[in-house]
Amino acid sequence: RKIIFEKQWFYLDNAIGHIYGTTFEVTSGGNLQLKQEVEETTTETKEAGTDNRNIVDDGKSQKLTHDDIKALKDKGIKGQEIVQQLIENSTTFRDKTEFAQDKYIKKKKKKYEAVITIVKPSTRILSTMYYAREPGKIIHLRYDTLAQMLTLGNIHAGNKMIVMETCAGLVLGAVMERMGGYGSIIQMYPGGGPVRAATSCFGFPKPFFDNLHEFPLSKVQSLLSGTFTTETLPADSEENALLEEESNGLSEEKQTSLQETEEEPATEAPMEISPTEEQDTMDINAEDVEFKGNKEKENVREKQIKQWERRKKLKEAAALLREKNADGLIVASKFHPTPLLLSLLEFVAPSRPFVVYCQYKEPLLECYTKLRERGGVINLKLSETWLRNYQVLPDRSHPKLTMSGGGGYLLSGITVVLEKGKSDSSNSEALKMEEPSSKRCKLQDLPC
């Protein structure tokens, strides 16, 4: 299929079989061709100015017009030659400093040279791309914040993780990449099904998805209350019967509509029709009806198989959650974090980390206070990461002029055993009893 990227379209057929990191040049017709390495002569002394203060950007320094550049492209002249023509026809190029000349050449090469390098997808590349192009799809989750989430969540191979995210599958893909296909992941999702658009971009092998389970958020309360099996999983025979009734009804309706459409043109047709022609048309119509009926039955069977597989996966995910021994919890969603976290923490084992991301601070502050009132967690921290990009080049390393205003907030902590049914007074008495005897004596001996 045609790929459109950076105002450039091409086909990836010629890229198959090459290693990651290979550089291609887009030729006419959108075909990819291996780029030949051209040695740049650095020994030649370039004419360069010492200062840019006298250069005025009035749009008149370039002699070549837009039509001239288009004519060069139509002649089949490649991007490198066009860049050379632009340099020769620029009146201010020689007056620029050496650094400004390099910057000018790099800018024009990016615009006129159709060069593509295919790199292996990774969490860093995908998160940077999503944040730069479509931050709304990942709820403005910056790549350094995502790195903090993976670190604070202690994600490694062999874990049993619960992931609740509405970031197009980016957080899920990052967790899967770090776990390397070992362990199990339960993805909690709202709505009809999980969204994994970014996860598919990672290019994971099939074994990575064997231990990936999904569970709907709408079933969490029924699972906690113990009514999940009776309410949410009806008997297979009942569902099959319903599906068969629906399919039969649909097929009967379609058959009647087909018969009506067959009868209508028959009345309008002329009366002089030979019996052989009538028989042929009847046979063809009967075959069409049979073919459509068989196709509908196959579709119904496919739906039944898909529903059966979905129920099976749902049972497996429910069995994993019932164990309540998850090794960690990651939440990064557009929903309010407090009810999500309080319900999902029930499935996490004691002494395990949890991380919650939110674009804004106020929902996490409310979540923080609720957790403190509820108990069962320690080492609660609400943090915000600060990021500044630097340009690192010889003799011109400096912070970039533009930087991100904010990368969201993280609430992290560690679960502990929550003793239910005990009041605060009993807890304080237990704490007093646990104090060392020397400390108690000293407190008692103090004068009033």
Side-chain angles (χ1 to χ4, degrees):
R1 63 187 179 90
K2 186 189 286 186
I3 306 293
I4 300 171
F5 186 75
E6 288 281 354
K7 299 180 181 179
Q8 182 70 44
W9 63 273
F10 51 88
Y11 296 97
L12 288 170
D13 299 342
N14 296 336
I16 296 170
H18 292 279
I19 61 171
Y20 285 114
T22 308
T23 304
F24 298 93
E25 194 172 356
V26 182
T27 59
S28 58
N31 296 318
L32 296 183
Q33 184 180 358
L34 280 171
K35 190 175 185 292
Q36 296 179 355
E37 294 182 2
V38 181
E39 293 183 0
E40 295 183 0
T41 56
T42 55
T43 55
E44 295 179 2
T45 56
K46 296 179 182 178
E47 292 185 19
T50 56
D51 203 341
N52 291 332
R53 71 179 72 184
N54 295 322
I55 297 172
V56 180
D57 188 12
D58 53 1
K60 298 176 182 178
S61 59
Q62 183 55 248
K63 295 177 184 177
L64 289 179
T65 61
H66 182 72
D67 295 331
D68 295 336
I69 296 168
K70 192 176 179 182
L72 290 172
K73 285 182 178 179
D74 294 338
K75 287 179 184 178
I77 295 174
K78 292 185 178 180
Q80 193 171 355
E81 296 175 6
I82 293 173
V83 172
Q84 192 62 35
Q85 291 277 347
L86 290 168
I87 292 169
E88 290 173 1
N89 287 280
S90 175
T91 56
T92 57
F93 182 79
R94 293 182 180 179
D95 298 332
K96 293 180 179 180
T97 62
E98 189 179 347
F99 297 149
Q101 287 179 358
D102 292 339
K103 192 174 180 180
Y104 179 86
I105 292 168
K106 191 183 290 184
K107 184 180 176 182
K108 296 302 177 185
K109 277 185 177 181
K110 187 179 179 182
K111 187 174 182 180
Y112 295 107
E113 281 190 6
V115 178
I116 291 162
T117 304
I118 299 176
V119 295
K120 189 175 182 179
S122 65
T123 302
R124 185 184 182 89
I125 291 170
L126 285 170
S127 59
T128 307
M129 185 200 73
Y130 267 100
Y131 188 76
R133 294 177 173 275
E134 298 172 323
K137 285 191 175 181
I138 57 170
I139 53 175
H140 296 265
L141 175 63
R142 205 169 56 196
Y143 38 92
D144 62 311
T145 310
L146 178 58
Q148 289 287 321
M149 289 178 70
L150 297 176
T151 305
L152 292 169
N154 191 26
I155 296 163
H156 56 82
N159 268 10
K160 179 181 176 182
M161 296 299 302
I162 299 174
V163 178
M164 166 56 204
E165 57 113 312
T166 55
C167 301
L170 179 66
V171 177
L172 176 66
V175 173
M176 290 173 68
E177 184 189 62
R178 183 159 287 198
M179 291 177 66
Y182 298 95
S184 57
I185 302 171
I186 305 155
Q187 182 188 7
M188 315 299 290
Y189 64 89
V195 179
R196 294 172 183 168
T199 311
S200 60
C201 296
F202 280 85
F204 292 130
K206 286 184 179 179
F208 274 56
F209 294 92
D210 292 341
N211 295 323
L212 176 59
H213 309 273
E214 62 254 11
F215 194 82
L217 278 176
S218 57
K219 315 287 185 187
V220 169
Q221 292 303 323
S222 61
L223 185 64
L224 289 171
S225 60
T227 58
F228 171 71
T229 51
T230 55
E231 288 182 2
T232 59
L233 291 176
D236 295 349
S237 58
E238 292 177 2
E239 284 193 6
N240 292 336
L242 287 169
L243 282 168
E244 285 175 4
E245 285 176 7
E246 289 174 2
S247 62
N248 290 334
L250 286 169
S251 60
E252 285 173 4
E253 288 174 5
K254 288 185 179 178
Q255 283 180 3
T256 53
S257 63
L258 281 168
Q259 287 174 3
E260 287 172 3
T261 53
E262 287 164 14
E263 288 172 4
E264 284 174 2
T267 56
E268 297 173 2
M271 296 301 291
E272 297 177 0
I273 298 175
S274 62
T276 55
E277 288 179 356
E278 283 185 4
Q279 192 174 356
D280 291 341
T281 52
M282 290 294 288
D283 292 341
I284 290 167
N285 292 332
E287 287 176 2
D288 289 343
V289 171
E290 285 180 5
F291 176 74
K292 287 179 180 178
N294 293 332
K295 198 171 182 181
E296 286 169 5
K297 286 179 182 177
E298 288 177 3
N299 291 336
V300 170
R301 285 174 189 169
E302 286 178 3
K303 285 181 181 178
Q304 288 177 358
I305 291 167
K306 284 181 181 177
Q307 286 193 359
W308 180 79
E309 288 177 352
R310 192 174 179 183
R311 284 199 305 271
K312 186 182 176 183
K313 288 181 179 178
L314 197 65
K315 287 179 181 178
E316 290 175 357
L320 287 172
L321 288 171
R322 277 199 197 96
E323 295 172 0
K324 296 186 178 181
N325 62 349
D327 293 320
L329 171 64
I330 304 290
V331 179
S333 74
K334 59 186 177 182
F335 304 109
H336 201 287
T338 305
L340 277 176
L341 187 62
L342 293 177
S343 58
L344 294 178
L345 276 177
E346 299 290 331
F347 304 113
V348 183
S351 187
R352 299 295 190 275
F354 63 90
V355 188
V356 187
Y357 165 80
C358 188
Q359 188 182 351
Y360 308 104
K361 183 171 58 175
E362 288 75 16
L364 289 181
L365 283 172
E366 183 183 338
C367 192
Y368 181 91
T369 54
K370 290 281 184 184
L371 285 172
R372 290 296 297 269
E373 291 171 4
R374 169 185 174 271
V377 292
I378 58 169
N379 199 26
L380 270 179
K381 287 183 180 179
L382 180 58
S383 61
E384 179 190 15
T385 53
W386 190 81
L387 178 74
R388 166 170 274 178
N389 289 319
Y390 277 77
Q391 173 184 287
V392 181
L393 290 170
D395 298 328
R396 53 195 190 280
S397 294
H398 58 78
K400 290 191 176 179
L401 296 176
T402 57
M403 64 174 286
S404 175
Y409 299 85
L410 292 177
L411 177 65
S412 60
I414 297 171
T415 59
V416 292
V417 176
L418 178 62
E419 295 183 3
K420 295 180 180 179
K422 290 188 177 182
S423 61
D424 295 334
S425 60
S426 62
N427 289 336
S428 61
E429 287 175 6
L431 287 170
K432 286 179 183 178
M433 291 299 293
E434 288 174 2
E435 288 179 355
S437 58
S438 59
K439 190 174 180 182
R440 286 204 304 273
C441 292
K442 285 179 182 177
L443 288 170
Q444 290 170 3
D445 296 340
L446 287 172
C448 296

